[in-house]
């Protein structure tokens, strides 16, 4: 009995250790996100430069509108660093990390205005938006499917859950039109007799039933 108990404790300890939070590299995540956001900001700067009415050279992307790319890169870096750092400190991956990261990222975005109300306002809006987005699944099309659930079993479960009894369906649309339950010919003959006063003998084309 003792070895069996020890095996259970070791398996439970290994399962609990596998469920523990794994720390992430906040600096690497911040640099990666900053590069992605910076690239997007650089693209917007290039578009804005191309729409200039005056003739400007290609370096105007950096000299005239380079602050757009810098702002995007700063927001992305601060947001991702704050999110990962918060997750490492709290040892949890939830929407509160996104709320904290959104507050810092929005504050950086509000620094362009140079006013405290703008910093607080941008931070609050981005915090709430980021937290709600993560809380509702973190996907535009909704929460993702559970990878541990087999797709065939999931569809079978949905069919069983929303399948209507055939008797209920026939009661709404009626018999006929190739929808026939056992005893249909007898019921049809009875209806004809009640409606027109003559008896119709059901004829079956199946030689085994005939």
């Amino acid at each position: 009995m003792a070895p069996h108990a020890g095996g259970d404790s070791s398996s439970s300890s290994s399962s609990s250790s596998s469920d523990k939070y794994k720390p992430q590299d906040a600096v690497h995540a911040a640099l990666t996100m900053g590069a992605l956001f910076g690239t997007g900001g650089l693209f917007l700067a290039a578009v804005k430069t191309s729409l200039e009415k005056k003739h400007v050279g290609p370096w105007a992307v950096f000299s005239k509108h380079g602050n757009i790319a810098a702002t995007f890169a700063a927001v992305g870096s601060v947001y991702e660093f704050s999110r990962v750092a918060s997750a490492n400190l709290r040892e949890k991956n939830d929407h509160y990390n996104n709320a904290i990261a959104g507050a810092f990222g929005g504050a950086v975005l509000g620094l362009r205005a140079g006013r405290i109300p703008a910093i607080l306002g941008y931070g609050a809006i981005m915090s709430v938006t980021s937290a709600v987005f993560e809380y509702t699944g973190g996907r535009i099309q909704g929460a993702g499917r559970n990878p541990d659930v087999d797709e065939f079993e999931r569809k079978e479960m949905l069919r069983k859950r929303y399948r209507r009894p055939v008797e209920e369906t026939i009661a709404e649309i009626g018999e006929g039109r190739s929808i026939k339950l056992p005893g249909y010919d007898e019921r049809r003959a009875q209806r004809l007799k009640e409606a027109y006063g003559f008896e119709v003998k059901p004829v079956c084309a199946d030689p085994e039933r005939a």
Side-chain angles (χ1 to χ4, degrees):
M1 295 295 292
H4 180 69
D8 291 341
S9 62
S10 62
S11 61
S12 62
S13 62
S14 61
S15 62
S16 61
S17 61
S18 61
D19 294 338
K20 288 183 178 179
Y21 174 80
K22 296 180 181 179
Q24 306 174 50
D25 189 354
V27 176
H28 180 268
L31 292 177
T32 303
M33 189 61 64
L36 291 175
F37 271 65
T39 302
L42 188 62
F43 175 76
L44 291 180
V47 171
K48 194 170 183 179
T49 302
S50 65
L51 297 177
E52 289 283 346
K53 295 182 179 180
K54 297 180 180 179
H55 178 71
V56 293
W59 294 107
V61 175
F62 302 97
S63 60
K64 192 171 183 178
H65 303 295
N67 59 337
I68 299 177
T71 302
F72 269 66
V75 171
S77 299
V78 171
Y79 178 91
E80 191 66 11
F81 181 85
S82 302
R83 188 188 66 82
V84 176
S86 174
N88 290 340
L89 292 174
R90 300 177 62 247
E91 296 186 352
K92 288 182 181 180
N93 267 323
D94 53 19
H95 58 283
Y96 291 108
N97 300 325
N98 295 77
I100 296 172
F104 283 100
V108 173
L109 186 62
L111 286 175
R112 294 190 62 183
R115 294 181 298 173
I116 298 297
I119 296 174
L120 297 177
Y122 278 105
I125 293 174
M126 193 168 179
S127 176
V128 173
T129 303
S130 179
V132 171
F133 179 73
E134 180 65 21
Y135 183 77
T136 54
R139 297 163 61 93
I140 297 176
Q141 63 269 31
R145 295 174 181 172
N146 189 355
D148 298 330
V149 178
D150 185 70
E151 184 66 14
F152 178 78
E153 295 179 357
R154 187 186 71 85
K155 290 185 177 180
E156 282 295 315
M157 180 185 65
L158 292 176
R159 290 192 185 99
K160 292 179 180 179
R161 180 181 300 174
Y162 299 106
R163 183 180 296 163
R164 302 177 62 186
V166 63
E167 294 81 4
E168 182 181 343
T169 303
I170 293 178
E172 290 186 4
I173 65 176
E175 291 182 309
R177 302 176 299 279
S178 301
I179 303 176
K180 299 178 181 180
L181 287 178
Y184 168 76
D185 295 329
E186 290 76 7
R187 289 192 297 274
R188 179 173 178 272
Q190 182 66 25
R191 289 195 298 269
L192 290 174
K193 184 178 180 180
E194 294 175 356
Y196 301 103
F198 60 88
E199 185 175 355
V200 177
K201 184 179 180 180
V203 178
C204 180
D206 190 353
E208 296 182 358
R209 294 179 58 185

